[in-house]
Amino acid sequence: MEYLLYHEQAPASRQSDALHKILITVLSDRTADYLDISQRLSALGWSTQHDYLCLIFQITYLDQKKITTRAICNYLDKQFPYSCSFLFKEEIVAYFNLSRLEMDADTVAGKLTYFIRDSFLKAGYSRPMKGHMNLRRQYIQASTALDVGSRKKPYLWIHHFNNVALTYILEQSTRRLPGYMLCHEKLLDLQRMDREQNTEYMLTLRTYLEENLNATQAASLLFIHRSTFLYRLDKIKNILDSGLDDPEEIFYLNLSFRLLEQEEEKN
């Protein structure tokens, strides 16, 4: 009944229609004149100094055929007067003018949590950003959050870009080369020795890195004596041909573990 009432609301205003058209142009026309778009948005009260948030709802074909799609858009328009929602590429896209709403991103998300859950929808949120130049990028963030989040944690209804950013970076980095060809080469030697000699060099090194190079804490977590850990660490340093004191190499090793972990998940 509630959906039907939202569905039967009065037609959108001319200003709302104009806003829909501008935002659809932003998303569909990569060659659009952003200076012109910015001026048109500002004329409608969506300033370059305002903060914006993008949200994408995943819907089904049946949602489009029935009242659900229009009802969702009408619900958003009623709950958030300074928002704009529309159907784009078989998804519902919503932009929120956080400055005019006098809300932050967490407040908007909190107001929508139960609606998303009760409507059996899945949603992806961008980061809040200022100005018009990032509107299309925010759409990509929200789309990425929905895509990656739904694959990594399909049991969740809501996905935020901040929670999938690292996974997205790793996936983008392995589009042309697999993880084992991008990771620290010597790390593959440690992996091979673990398989062939039943050592635990990979676990030892990863624990050491995760404990911020604290040998005592790492030894405790591995349930071995500190002297045993240090002996094993010397072996690892010899194999890596490294003193493990270069911040860039430490970063590379941490990233390499993530790349190999992702490779295992794929396999």
Side-chain angles (χ1 to χ4, degrees):
M1 289 292 292
E2 187 175 14
Y3 275 143
L4 185 59
L5 289 172
Y6 285 126
H7 179 64
E8 295 297 334
Q9 280 185 343
S13 66
R14 289 184 179 179
Q15 181 174 5
S16 178
D17 285 340
L19 198 53
H20 287 169
K21 291 177 181 177
I22 295 171
L23 292 173
I24 289 174
T25 299
V26 168
L27 300 185
S28 60
D29 186 0
R30 301 184 67 177
T31 64
D33 184 347
Y34 263 78
L35 180 59
D36 175 63
I37 285 174
S38 183
Q39 291 173 345
R40 290 163 62 193
L41 286 171
S42 296
L44 294 174
W46 285 42
S47 167
T48 56
Q49 298 305 310
H50 289 168
D51 293 320
Y52 299 98
L53 176 72
C54 182
L55 167 63
I56 294 180
F57 289 108
Q58 184 181 66
I59 59 175
T60 66
Y61 175 74
L62 290 177
D63 287 324
Q64 295 180 49
K65 284 296 182 182
K66 296 182 179 179
I67 66 170
T68 314
T69 298
R70 188 181 299 178
I72 292 170
C73 292
N74 287 338
Y75 175 85
L76 293 173
D77 291 342
K78 182 176 181 180
Q79 297 298 318
F80 304 94
Y82 299 107
S83 68
C84 181
S85 54
F86 49 89
L87 187 65
F88 181 74
K89 291 186 176 180
E90 301 181 354
E91 294 174 325
I92 293 176
V93 180
Y95 280 95
F96 300 87
N97 187 323
L98 299 176
S99 298
R100 296 194 69 181
L101 286 169
E102 297 183 351
M103 298 179 185
D104 58 21
D106 290 338
T107 302
V108 171
K111 286 179 174 291
L112 286 172
T113 298
Y114 294 110
F115 172 75
I116 294 170
R117 184 198 66 185
D118 295 343
S119 304
F120 300 102
L121 296 169
K122 285 200 171 184
Y125 284 92
S126 74
R127 291 173 176 170
M129 293 184 181
K130 185 182 296 292
H132 302 150
M133 295 302 294
N134 289 317
L135 290 173
R136 189 173 189 279
R137 293 168 182 159
Q138 286 182 287
Y139 167 77
I140 294 173
Q141 281 190 338
S143 180
T144 299
L146 185 57
D147 173 47
V148 177
S150 295
R151 286 189 283 107
K152 297 293 287 186
K153 296 183 178 180
Y155 50 87
L156 294 181
W157 300 102
I158 299 169
H159 305 280
H160 294 267
F161 180 75
N162 284 345
N163 295 336
V164 305
L166 179 57
T167 301
Y168 174 68
I169 291 171
L170 293 173
E171 290 182 351
Q172 290 299 301
S173 68
T174 55
R175 290 180 65 182
R176 300 186 65 182
L177 291 173
Y180 69 86
M181 293 186 71
L182 293 172
C183 74
H184 195 296
E185 187 176 15
K186 297 291 186 179
L187 203 59
L188 298 177
D189 292 336
L190 291 183
Q191 193 178 57
R192 177 179 51 79
M193 292 184 71
D194 279 353
R195 287 197 303 266
E196 295 177 355
Q197 302 179 22
N198 200 31
T199 54
E200 293 186 333
Y201 291 148
M202 291 286 282
L203 176 61
T204 301
L205 177 58
R206 183 156 195 178
T207 304
Y208 183 56
L209 295 176
E210 289 176 348
E211 293 305 311
N212 299 314
L213 312 186
N214 186 319
T216 301
Q217 185 65 24
S220 176
L221 289 173
L222 292 170
F223 300 104
I224 59 176
H225 196 275
R226 188 172 184 276
S227 59
T228 303
F229 176 84
L230 292 176
Y231 172 79
R232 192 183 295 177
L233 185 62
D234 283 338
K235 289 281 189 180
I236 292 171
K237 288 179 178 180
N238 288 332
I239 296 168
L240 294 178
D241 191 21
S242 167
L244 295 180
D245 52 9
D246 181 356
E248 287 194 6
E249 186 178 29
I250 297 300
F251 171 77
Y252 185 25
L253 285 167
N254 275 309
L255 180 61
S256 296
F257 274 109
R258 296 292 187 120
L259 289 168
L260 291 175
E261 187 178 81
Q262 179 180 273
E263 196 72 23
E264 289 178 5
E265 289 177 359
K266 284 182 180 179
N267 295 333

